[in-house]
Amino acid sequence: MSERDVFEYALLRVVPRVERGECFNAGVLVYCRAKSFVGVRTHLDETKLLALDPEADVAGVRAALRAVEGVCAGGKAAGQAAGDDAGRRFRWLIAPRSTVVQPGPVHTGLTADPQAETERLLQLLVR
C-alpha cells in the first residue's frame, strides 16, 4: 500500500438566489499540505442553474468559477494571492462568503494522489 497523506476538501456551491438559499455543487477544492497541493475541478450544470433561477447570469457564474481556478493555479492567474503558498490560497478560497459561488464546509481524508482525489471527488459529488 502506498503512503497516504491527509487532505482537506470543500465543495463549491452555486447559490443563484442567495435570499432563497437553494444551491447545487459545481466544483471541489482540495488541499494537501504534505504535497503543497491545492487544486480545483469545476463543472457547471447550466440546466440546474437555470432551473433555480431562469434569469441567472451563466457567464458570471462561469467567470467566478474560473477565478477560483486561477487562485488555485497560483502565479499571475492568482492575482493578489500570487505570492501565497498553497495553504493560504486554500484558506482564502474556503472563507465563508455570501455570493453566488460559495465554499461548503471543509472535510478531510487520506490520499496518495491529491490530483486524482480531486477528479474522484468531482465525479462522486458534483457530476
Side-chain angles (χ1 to χ4, degrees), residues 64-126:
L65 291 170
R66 277 194 309 273
V68 172
E69 292 167 354
V71 171
C72 280
K76 289 181 184 178
Q80 290 181 330
D84 292 343
D85 64 27
R88 286 183 60 107
R89 292 195 316 271
F90 179 75
R91 298 287 172 235
W92 184 81
L93 289 167
I94 63 166
R97 52 186 52 94
S98 182
T99 62
V100 173
V101 175
Q102 301 177 5
V106 176
H107 306 280
T108 61
L110 295 171
T111 187
D113 184 348
Q115 188 152 350
E117 194 68 39
T118 306
E119 183 63 33
R120 185 186 78 79
L121 290 170
L122 178 79
Q123 296 301 325
L124 180 67
L125 303 172
V126 177

Side-chain angles (χ1 to χ4, degrees), residues 7-110:
F7 75 97
E8 299 173 68
Y9 73 95
L11 291 167
L12 291 175
R13 303 180 293 201
V14 173
V15 187
R17 294 180 56 194
V18 176
E19 70 277 8
R20 291 183 60 145
E22 299 166 328
C23 65
F24 64 94
N25 297 337
V28 62
L29 291 161
V30 172
Y31 170 59
C32 180
R33 181 178 175 191
K35 305 272 192 224
S36 295
F37 174 86
V38 64
V40 65
R41 292 278 302 168
T42 63
H43 172 76
L44 179 60
D45 185 330
E46 289 184 25
T47 304
K48 285 182 185 178
L49 175 59
L50 295 172
L52 292 176
D53 183 1
E55 297 178 16
D57 179 3
V58 176
V61 173
R62 284 201 183 284
L65 291 170
R66 277 194 309 273
V68 172
E69 292 167 354
V71 171
C72 280
K76 289 181 184 178
Q80 290 181 330
D84 292 343
D85 64 27
R88 286 183 60 107
R89 292 195 316 271
F90 179 75
R91 298 287 172 235
W92 184 81
L93 289 167
I94 63 166
R97 52 186 52 94
S98 182
T99 62
V100 173
V101 175
Q102 301 177 5
V106 176
H107 306 280
T108 61
L110 295 171

